[in-house]
Amino acid sequence: MRVTVRLLAALWLAELLIIGAFTVAQVTEERARLHDDLERRASLLAEGLKEAVEPSVRRGSPAAVARVLRKFGRPDRRIAVYDAFAGLIATAPVPAAGRPASTAQGAAPARPAPPTPPEVAEAITSEGVRKGLRTADGQTTYVYATALPGSDRPLGAVVVELDASYLEAAEWAVWRYNILRFLALALGLGVITLLVVQLTVTKPMAELAEWAKQLRAGRPARVPAIGDASLFGPIATEVSGLARNLYRARAAAEQEAALRLRGEAIWTEERLKQFAQSQFGGQPLYVVSNREPLSHVWRGGKVLALMPASGVVSAIDPVMRACGGVWIGHGSGDADRETADEHGRLGLPPEDPRYSLRRVWLTEQEEAGYYYGFANEGLWPLCHVVHARPLFRPTDWAAYRDVNAKFAEALLEEMEGSEAPMVLIQDYHFALLPALVKAQRPDARVAIFWHIPWANFEAFGICPWHEEILLGMLGADLIGFHTQSHCNNFLESAERALEARIDWEHFTVVRGRHVTAVKPFPISVAPTFVEDPPTTSRAELCARLGVNAEFLGVGVERVDYTKGLPERFLALQRFFELHPEYRERLVFVQLGAPSRSRIPRYQELAAQVEATVEAVNRAVGTRGWKPILYLPAHHDRHDIWPFYRHADFCMVTSLHDGMNLVAKEYVSVRDDGDGVLILSRFTGAARELRDDALLVNPYDVDATARAILDAVEMPVEERRARMRRMHQHVREHNVYRWAGLLLGELARIPVEPGVRRPVGGPADVLA
Ligand code: G6P
């Protein structure tokens, strides 16, 4: 309140000074204008009369002078003629109100003659003009006295006195007007200031204080939105950071205590943090992935931060939050440059930085060849058995090599000065990176984790550059896949394509002095899908979607041909055909994030998905009910949470998938112990959840339709028992455990001591 009063006082004072200064200027100007007007009128009259009375004065005829003056009498002025000794000769008669001035002096009721103004004598003496304002008896008049010229000395003088009392009235009117203006403005300013202070200071501060109070009391609360970041941004960020750290530390301690009490040995963020500290003693962890964890894009003139729909990002972000370090990724958002520093770096998460992101910039050509071309039209279909023909263009391969070298440069730059760094390379975009890095930094411990399947050698061997890819990957000390069968396929490929010794007992590849371990590490999700889940109820969700359904199914995918979307929709159609009693009772909501849409195969798929949804809705839908609600857009994790939470079943029908984290996300959100997971047997997740998910072959439409029926008709006890077991499994086999096992394995690998002095850049290694 005191601040508001001070603010108001300052504003009012400023207003007072400004309006005061303006008023003084206005009054001065008005006075000058009126003064000029008086002078003009008085001089016209006096100078005109001078000529008219001069002969009569010269003749010494007061009567004649009075006759001339007779016509000029008016109540608001006095005109008089004086002789050479300043003695009054005659004055213009002042008519009584309503009567014309027809007579000279004496015609009006007799009034004592006013004293002779001093200007008369002065004008005569100076033989010129004397003029000015004069106040006598509380009356202000304007006096204009002009000498009547004679042959050697003046004959006398003509005096005009005009009433100037209205000058003060006019000045006072200006003051009055400006005082009113000041008061009105002060009132307006007061109201606006109070409102602004209330909305931008008092309210946010009160919300922030309440939030901090809730956190202090150990209750999780959502960070209030701070409207004016420029005003409160820095302090709000600091306070939020402090409070968040406090809350996190408290939650971590409570979680650890609870786990200890229950005798459970579950990996948590805190445990991974401690583990990382003990394994690589404060050294930062270096992660490289094509997809960055947060991209900034322009939307409607504003910069928006988006967490991309990517299994790699969902899995690695919690690990980086726990371990800290540097994540190198492609800066692909159109507002990425504006939101990073000149080296392409920024702290993440933005509100409470715990690791740093280094963005690498690619040209359109590089992106087209490396990302769209070789990675996603070559390696992606090569590794997924989905009968999509891979495309191998030499230009794409060249771009892929160049971009791998570019990322190697960035990584080496970031690692400068750090001894025996731990490097975790992600996925099929960077098959060449391990060898490039290892050649320059043999002291680094390098792992590459392949998030997609690895095909058998018959399939893999069709890639014209399969040897280079294998050699690039084998530069790593550790290669991770989701499943043992992917490891076996890789080892078999290395055995058949290269001159290398495969140790099938220890699952290693030995080339010269270098040993690469190849091991399965089934990836997973963090136990909490979002830290502060929304409170949306099922009824609210349905109302928002405009659906009225007894059963809700959900699918959450990038629109990708490996995900089996058309197959899923056909299975839904079959289900409704076979079980029409479920029509108008069940709605399936498909969230589809647009993906890689510059690639023709993805464009075709997007059109095919839309057409299939339409066809199914037409075939089995009714007037007021659509069986499938397709929502093609990027969905935020907060938006996805209610779908997972309230869906009676979730469908994951990938035709082939390394792991599929959607299955695990769905299960992890269901700590309410309800919901059914329909899961393709061709996913890595199916190996872990095979006992309790309903496994399907997505190519078998009838069998998938039967699984939908099983999901909606499953007895509640069985449903809950299955979900509880799956939930427990995912909770225990979470991404912290995955990272702990992988980093633990990597930390145990002996590496060459010392840093090799680079003889050239990564491009030379590839040459
Ligand atoms: C798969 C890959 C990831 C990739 C994600 C999204 O999960 O394994 O590396 O990030 O798809 O694809 P995108 O091309 O959008 O990064």
Side-chain angles (χ1 to χ4, degrees):
M1 196 62 198
R2 228 191 276 156
V3 174
T4 317
V5 171
R6 255 188 255 154
L7 188 64
L8 267 179
L11 282 173
W12 283 338
L13 184 66
E15 186 202 345
L16 187 69
L17 291 177
I18 293 168
I19 293 194
F22 271 114
T23 313
V24 168
Q26 217 176 328
V27 163
T28 314
E29 198 179 304
E30 182 69 0
R31 187 185 296 158
R33 192 181 64 75
L34 292 176
H35 196 275
D36 287 353
D37 180 56
L38 283 169
E39 182 181 341
R40 191 180 43 79
R41 276 164 47 214
S43 69
L44 269 176
L45 205 53
E47 299 299 336
L49 274 173
K50 225 159 89 173
E51 283 176 31
V53 298
E54 193 253 324
S56 312
V57 175
R58 190 182 295 280
R59 278 199 322 272
S61 168
V65 175
R67 254 197 317 280
V68 176
L69 295 186
R70 199 160 53 198
K71 294 198 281 297
F72 294 91
R74 263 180 32 192
D76 59 342
R77 69 189 183 199
R78 176 174 172 272
I79 301 171
V81 178
Y82 291 86
D83 61 19
F85 305 102
L88 181 66
I89 300 173
T91 57
V94 179
R99 254 200 313 147
S102 53
T103 48
Q105 189 182 14
R111 270 201 291 180
T116 306
E119 286 82 357
V120 174
E122 287 166 19
I124 294 168
T125 320
S126 65
E127 299 183 23
V129 172
R130 282 293 177 270
K131 58 191 174 184
L133 284 172
R134 196 152 58 76
T135 306
D137 301 334
Q139 177 109 12
T140 308
T141 48
Y142 182 82
V143 182
Y144 187 96
T146 176
L148 282 169
S151 43
D152 49 355
R153 53 187 295 263
L155 300 172
V158 175
V159 172
V160 172
E161 287 178 71
L162 298 177
D163 179 12
S165 53
Y166 67 92
L167 274 187
E168 269 170 33
E171 282 175 19
W172 179 229
V174 172
W175 278 108
R176 223 178 20 236
Y177 173 75
N178 281 326
I179 287 169
L180 282 177
R181 196 193 240 186
F182 168 81
L183 290 176
L185 210 62
L187 184 71
L189 272 178
V191 173
I192 291 169
T193 309
L194 283 178
L195 274 177
V196 170
V197 168
Q198 175 64 20
L199 291 177
T200 61
V201 184
T202 317
K203 196 162 158 267
M205 278 304 182
E207 282 170 1
L208 217 58
E210 180 56 32
W211 175 66
K213 206 162 116 195
Q214 295 291 335
L215 289 180
R216 195 155 40 82
R219 284 187 288 271
R222 193 179 266 231
V223 194
I226 302 295
D228 191 345
S230 59
L231 187 58
F232 294 113
I235 182 131
T237 312
E238 285 309 312
V239 173
S240 332
L242 277 177
R244 213 178 279 112
N245 284 345
L246 181 77
Y247 173 64
R248 229 190 2 251
R250 184 194 292 247
E254 278 172 7
Q255 193 185 26
E256 290 298 320
L259 290 173
R260 252 198 314 278
L261 269 181
R262 291 204 300 269
E264 285 183 87
I266 287 180
W267 280 84
T268 58
E269 180 182 327
E270 187 56 30
R271 205 166 285 187
L272 177 61
K273 198 179 199 167
Q274 303 295 336
F275 178 78
Q277 277 287 337
S278 71
Q279 293 294 306
F280 35 100
Q283 279 281 12
L285 171 68
Y286 297 92
V287 161
V288 186
S289 79
N290 170 68
R291 192 52 70 197
E292 55 180 344
L294 195 76
S295 54
H296 289 98
V297 291
W298 285 106
R299 290 282 149 83
K302 280 192 179 162
V303 173
L304 209 72
L306 294 182
M307 185 175 181
S310 154
V312 171
V313 169
S314 320
I316 305 298
D317 179 64
V319 173
M320 288 302 277
R321 287 178 188 225
C323 301
V326 184
W327 184 331
I328 299 163
H330 170 208
S332 53
D334 58 9
D336 273 357
R337 283 181 196 263
E338 289 89 325
T339 43
D341 70 11
E342 73 269 30
H343 306 290
R345 296 191 188 116
L346 68 151
L348 288 183
E351 67 287 355
D352 175 23
R354 283 188 262 163
Y355 65 93
S356 121
L357 168 65
R358 159 80 189 269
R359 285 174 170 155
V360 174
W361 314 115
L362 298 182
T363 63
E364 267 205 37
Q365 244 179 342
E366 284 171 332
E367 194 185 359
Y370 138 84
Y371 171 75
Y372 288 107
F374 194 72
N376 285 314
E377 286 186 288
L379 290 178
W380 180 264
L382 179 73
C383 291
H384 289 93
V385 184
V386 290
H387 315 288
R389 190 188 192 287
L391 298 176
F392 298 116
R393 303 181 195 95
T395 46
D396 290 350
W397 170 243
Y400 186 83
R401 286 162 45 111
D402 290 350
V403 172
N404 269 248
K406 197 172 197 174
F407 271 78
E409 291 278 9
L411 176 58
L412 291 167
E413 200 180 301
E414 294 295 325
M415 292 195 312
E416 251 166 50
S418 101
E419 269 173 46
M422 303 274 277
V423 180
L424 196 46
I425 298 167
Q426 309 298 316
D427 237 347
Y428 58 99
H429 310 88
F430 296 116
L432 308 180
L433 197 51
L436 294 174
V437 176
K438 232 9 209 192
Q440 309 280 323
R441 291 291 304 262
D443 66 318
R445 287 189 169 80
V446 178
I448 179 165
F449 190 82
W450 200 260
H451 289 259
I452 61 176
W454 190 277
N456 62 35
F457 186 63
E458 269 66 44
F460 178 70
I462 67 165
C463 173
W465 302 284
H466 64 267
E467 282 180 34
E468 285 90 333
I469 287 171
L470 288 168
L471 287 174
M473 290 174 74
L474 286 170
D477 303 294
L478 176 64
I479 300 178
F481 292 97
H482 292 301
T483 68
Q484 185 61 52
S485 77
H486 298 157
C487 294
N488 293 349
N489 284 346
F490 178 85
L491 289 168
E492 191 211 349
S493 304
E495 187 166 50
R496 290 180 58 183
L498 303 176
E499 281 190 19
R501 187 163 64 80
I502 312 299
D503 178 344
W504 285 98
E505 204 182 325
H506 298 102
F507 297 103
T508 54
V509 182
V510 185
R511 286 183 57 253
R513 284 174 52 217
H514 188 67
V515 180
T516 305
V518 180
K519 298 214 160 158
F521 297 93
I523 207 165
S524 192
V525 292
T528 333
F529 181 59
V530 282
E531 262 178 19
D532 43 354
T535 49
T536 322
S537 68
R538 180 184 170 123
E540 282 164 350
L541 178 67
C542 289
R544 209 188 306 145
L545 298 172
V547 301
N548 184 7
E550 195 181 327
F551 298 100
L552 209 57
V554 71
V556 179
E557 263 92 15
R558 283 182 306 106
V559 182
D560 191 296
Y561 54 83
T562 60
K563 302 295 179 186
L565 290 170
E567 289 76 2
R568 181 181 310 174
F569 301 145
L570 293 178
L572 279 158
Q573 175 173 349
R574 193 83 186 111
F575 164 76
F576 286 115
E577 282 165 358
L578 293 172
H579 308 286
E581 68 277 16
Y582 281 100
R583 292 189 189 182
E584 304 195 331
R585 290 170 61 200
L586 188 154
V587 171
F588 186 82
V589 185
Q590 178 65 50
L591 310 185
S595 182
R596 306 173 191 167
S597 27
R598 268 163 56 184
I599 299 176
R601 181 69 187 90
Y602 282 80
Q603 292 164 5
E604 280 164 28
L605 176 81
Q608 188 193 356
V609 164
E610 300 256 2
T612 314
V613 169
E614 241 184 78
V616 174
N617 283 345
R618 220 175 314 111
V620 291
T622 61
R623 231 169 202 287
W625 167 76
K626 282 183 183 166
I628 302 174
L629 185 62
Y630 180 45
L631 305 174
H634 177 87
H635 292 92
D636 182 48
R637 290 167 83 77
H638 269 100
D639 299 339
I640 297 175
W641 190 92
F643 289 96
Y644 281 151
R645 185 59 177 220
H646 301 305
D648 298 288
F649 64 97
C650 173
M651 290 185 84
V652 173
T653 54
S654 310
L655 306 180
H656 197 192
D657 219 327
M659 171 53 71
N660 193 293
L661 289 183
V662 166
K664 292 190 172 179
E665 282 172 358
Y666 175 63
V667 165
S668 81
V669 166
R670 300 313 298 252
D671 55 358
D672 61 339
D674 211 344
V676 178
L677 175 65
I678 297 173
L679 180 61
S680 159
R681 59 176 67 252
F682 307 128
T683 60
R687 287 166 201 261
E688 292 176 65
L689 304 174
R690 62 176 177 270
D691 293 333
D692 292 309
L694 299 182
L695 292 197
V696 291
N697 169 359
Y699 291 95
D700 186 343
V701 169
D702 281 340
T704 311
R706 274 199 303 279
I708 299 172
L709 182 71
D710 289 348
V712 291
E713 297 201 339
M714 190 181 288
V716 62
E717 305 77 41
E718 182 185 345
R719 205 169 69 209
R720 287 177 178 273
R722 281 176 184 250
M723 183 50 87
R724 267 199 303 272
R725 284 193 295 267
M726 287 195 285
H727 181 77
Q728 186 60 16
H729 175 88
V730 172
R731 193 167 156 264
E732 285 170 5
H733 296 78
N734 60 43
V735 76
Y736 301 124
R737 178 177 183 271
W738 171 84
L741 294 180
L742 198 149
L743 294 173
E745 185 77 33
L746 186 61
R748 275 198 295 278
I749 292 175
V751 287
E752 279 183 42
V755 178
R756 185 178 297 168
R757 199 162 269 291
V759 283
D764 299 319
V765 177
L766 285 174

